[in-house]
Amino acid sequence: MTISKDAAGRRSTGSRTGSRGTRGAAEDRRPRRGASSASAGVSATARQVGERLTGWLSRPLTSFHLVVSLLLLLSGLGLTMVLSASSVESYAQDGSAYSVFTRQVIFVLLGLCLFYVGMRVKVATLRRWSLPAFLGCVAMLVLVLVPGIGSMSNGARSWFVLGPVSLQPSEVAKIAIAVWGAHLLSIKRGQLHSLRHMLMPLLPAAAIVLVLIFLQPDLGTSISLAIVVLGLLWFAGAPVKLFLTLLALAGVVFVVVALTASYRLERITSFLDPGADPQGAGYQAMQARYSLAGGGLWGVGLGQSRGKWSYLPEAHNDFIFAILGEELGFVGAAAVLLLFGALAYTGLRIARRSIDPFLRLLTATVTLWLVGQAVINIGYVIGLLPVTGLTLPLVSSGGTSTAVTMFVFGLLANAARHEPPAVAALRTQGEGPLGRLLRLPAPEPYRARPSSRVVRTGEQARRARTAHPAPGGARPTAERAGPEGVAADRRTEPLRSAPRGQSRQPARGPRSRTPEPPRRPGTSRGTDTGRGGRR
């Protein structure tokens, strides 16, 4: 009995222990259930955010709104940083802390007008005037080299000075060659398998512009122009071997140009060894790094930079990203990188969704140009690239550069409104609040243009129609020569209207015969009065 009691006691004790262990296990499982529910809630929230973002991106005018938002954000940030970075130097030179900022505001207002023009201009008008605009830019590049007409600044004869306003024709030449090159390659898109048609006359014309810019001399603008030309060829489908050959040729030219001028050679040597001459050739790069390092994570505060107190040369222009990193810290610098990343996404999104070859090529090229210029500027500020003198688009102080960049944003917004979903939405639903405020015209649907300058004869057109008949029973008309020897677009003749009771037939070609109803005796064909009598 004692043993059984002990055994029962042990068993009862074990059961009580087991019940406590069960309750403990249940209590141990409660936090896990809470953690799983919390993770499920986070995943559900992330899923909802992703669905909302996907739904917003799928809207027809999302690309247009992205372009306008990026323009406002970058230009607003640029004005703020120009005021902060230039106040000390402006006060030292002009007695007012707002002289550089006021000049930048004037060019931003001019750029907004050009942005509006870029949104409203018709694609056909842009293509029609692309060649005259390019020739005009070449003429200005020649005139700016003439002493007494062009003005010298920082060792380069690159500006026309008209009172308080200065114009840099090399900045205008970049957008001119981008528009003309996209127009030229889109016309010859059926012949781009031939290197002669791909490179002529784009590459010789670009070489002439590059030589004129080298004579100023302006190495930074030459690099931007090279990015534009290489982008045109790449997005037009240039072979990889040709593209690598052009890159190697550009590298050789860059090395030769760098070795021919002492100040360019000093930039290369200071990049390879920044500490070799910290008070000479490497001074600007070292001061930029000191400013970035002083910013930390959150920055020293807007307007509190120490580098702008005559420690960092060109603080409001080429090296404004260093002042931005010092005052706004890593967070502000990362925000700028995100903005230019969003610009890259938006521009390539517009290019991918466009069905017009001209708009597709133009938007992809100018996006590469703006983002590539930003990458080069940020790269030499943080020490990853040698100093080239390129500005940060819409952020750095610059008159012509700012205005031209805002015009490019206008072209991007115009191309975004020509996306097929946007065209359909604007024609069916009408303009949104922003479009009504800006009084923008309705975009025209894309009409296919010929891909070559070949004029087809009547026999060739007949063979083409036989080999590729038009859908829907419509018969394509013969192609006619346009004003420049270009074959006109194919059009389809409408179906002729048939009398009531007969089927509609094509305008030309064999007609189908329908069986006639049986006639009553004593009636003639076509004179039946409906009751068997004759009139």
Side-chain angles (χ1 to χ4, degrees):
M1 293 297 293
T2 306
I3 297 175
S4 63
K5 288 181 180 179
D6 294 340
R10 284 196 296 269
R11 284 196 294 270
S12 63
T13 304
S15 63
R16 287 195 299 270
T17 306
S19 63
R20 287 197 300 270
T22 304
R23 288 195 301 270
E27 292 175 357
D28 292 340
R29 284 196 298 269
R30 289 174 185 172
R32 296 178 185 176
R33 291 176 181 175
S36 61
S37 61
S39 61
V42 171
S43 61
T45 304
R47 192 182 307 110
Q48 291 177 359
V49 172
E51 291 176 355
R52 290 181 180 179
L53 181 61
T54 304
W56 182 74
L57 291 176
S58 62
R59 292 180 180 179
L61 291 176
T62 297
S63 301
F64 174 73
H65 295 152
L66 281 173
V67 172
V68 176
S69 301
L70 289 172
L71 173 72
L72 296 178
L73 289 174
L74 286 173
S75 57
L77 177 64
L79 287 176
T80 303
M81 294 312 304
V82 166
L83 176 60
S84 175
S86 65
S87 56
V88 175
E89 183 178 351
S90 298
Y91 187 81
Q93 292 182 356
D94 303 325
S96 171
Y98 303 99
S99 58
V100 176
F101 173 72
T102 303
R103 187 164 57 248
Q104 184 69 10
V105 169
I106 293 174
F107 278 102
V108 166
L109 294 177
L110 176 62
L112 288 176
C113 297
L114 293 178
F115 171 74
Y116 186 67
V117 171
M119 282 195 301
R120 290 187 60 91
V121 65
K122 294 182 179 180
V123 177
T125 304
L126 189 66
R127 300 183 68 168
R128 188 184 308 117
W129 288 95
S130 60
L131 180 58
F134 174 72
L135 296 177
C137 289
V138 173
M140 287 193 298
L141 289 175
V142 174
L143 290 176
V144 80
L145 297 175
V146 179
I149 299 179
S151 299
M152 294 284 295
S153 178
N154 295 329
R157 190 181 298 275
S158 305
W159 283 269
F160 293 117
V161 178
L162 305 174
V165 180
S166 60
L167 173 67
Q168 189 175 2
S170 57
E171 293 289 341
V172 185
K174 291 188 290 186
I175 183 60
I177 198 170
V179 175
W180 176 66
H183 167 68
L184 183 66
L185 293 176
S186 61
I187 285 181
K188 301 169 65 175
R189 63 186 182 275
Q191 302 173 342
L192 294 182
H193 59 277
S194 172
L195 294 182
R196 182 176 65 87
H197 288 287
M198 177 174 287
L199 301 180
M200 301 292 292
L202 176 62
L203 205 59
I208 293 174
V209 175
L210 282 172
V211 170
L212 292 175
I213 295 176
F214 272 136
L215 293 177
Q216 294 180 3
D218 190 350
L219 181 61
T221 306
S222 303
I223 294 176
S224 295
L225 188 63
I227 293 175
V228 171
V229 177
L230 292 176
L232 285 171
L233 295 176
W234 175 260
F235 291 113
V240 179
K241 291 183 179 180
L242 173 64
F243 196 76
L244 294 178
T245 303
L246 293 176
L247 280 179
L249 180 62
V252 171
V253 172
F254 176 78
V255 172
V256 172
V257 170
L259 296 177
T260 54
S262 59
Y263 72 94
R264 298 187 189 127
L265 185 59
E266 289 178 354
R267 289 180 179 180
I268 300 297
T269 55
S270 64
F271 165 70
L272 297 176
D273 189 6
D277 190 9
Q279 296 298 323
Y283 175 78
Q284 198 172 19
M286 293 294 293
Q287 292 297 324
R289 296 182 189 181
Y290 291 152
S291 297
L292 285 172
L297 180 62
W298 301 103
V300 297
L302 188 62
Q304 303 300 318
S305 170
R306 293 181 290 271
K308 66 182 180 182
W309 289 83
S310 301
Y311 290 103
L312 178 61
E314 300 293 337
H316 63 283
N317 197 356
D318 298 347
F319 285 83
I320 196 169
F321 186 76
I323 304 300
L324 188 147
E326 182 181 6
E327 294 187 350
L328 304 181
F330 175 79
V331 175
V336 174
L337 295 178
L338 288 177
L339 288 176
F340 281 102
L343 175 61
Y345 166 77
T346 304
L348 296 181
R349 167 193 167 97
I350 297 172
R352 187 183 69 251
R353 293 163 64 95
S354 297
I355 60 175
D356 188 346
F358 167 73
L359 290 179
R360 187 186 311 126
L361 190 55
L362 177 63
T363 52
T365 301
V366 298
T367 301
L368 177 65
W369 159 31
L370 294 178
V371 176
Q373 183 171 329
V375 169
I376 293 175
N377 176 272
I378 296 173
Y380 71 69
V381 169
I382 64 178
L384 294 180
L385 294 173
V387 178
T388 55
L390 284 175
T391 59
L392 190 59
L394 293 182
V395 180
S396 297
S397 173
T400 311
S401 174
T402 300
V404 170
T405 303
M406 298 183 82
F407 177 71
V408 172
F409 270 80
L411 295 181
L412 287 175
N414 195 345
R417 286 171 52 84
H418 280 81
E419 294 178 357
V423 173
L426 290 174
R427 288 186 174 272
T428 57
Q429 304 174 8
E431 294 283 353
L434 183 59
R436 289 193 296 269
L437 176 64
L438 298 176
R439 302 179 65 87
L440 298 177
E444 299 180 357
Y446 169 68
R447 294 180 179 179
R449 295 172 60 96
S451 60
S452 64
R453 293 180 176 268
V454 178
V455 181
R456 292 183 177 177
T457 62
E459 181 66 20
Q460 292 173 342
R462 185 186 63 79
R463 292 178 181 176
R465 291 196 302 270
T466 305
H468 304 283
R475 180 181 182 276
T477 59
E479 295 179 354
R480 298 166 295 162
E484 298 181 357
V486 184
D489 299 342
R490 285 190 175 185
R491 295 182 176 87
T492 56
E493 291 186 0
L495 298 176
R496 293 180 179 177
S497 59
R500 181 178 299 179
Q502 298 182 10
S503 60
R504 295 171 59 89
Q505 299 294 338
R508 297 174 186 173
R511 295 187 177 182
S512 59
R513 297 183 177 271
T514 57
E516 297 181 357
R519 290 178 292 137
R520 296 180 182 179
T523 60
S524 62
R525 182 181 303 174
T527 58
D528 190 358
T529 59
R531 303 188 62 86
R534 180 189 292 266
R535 290 184 179 180

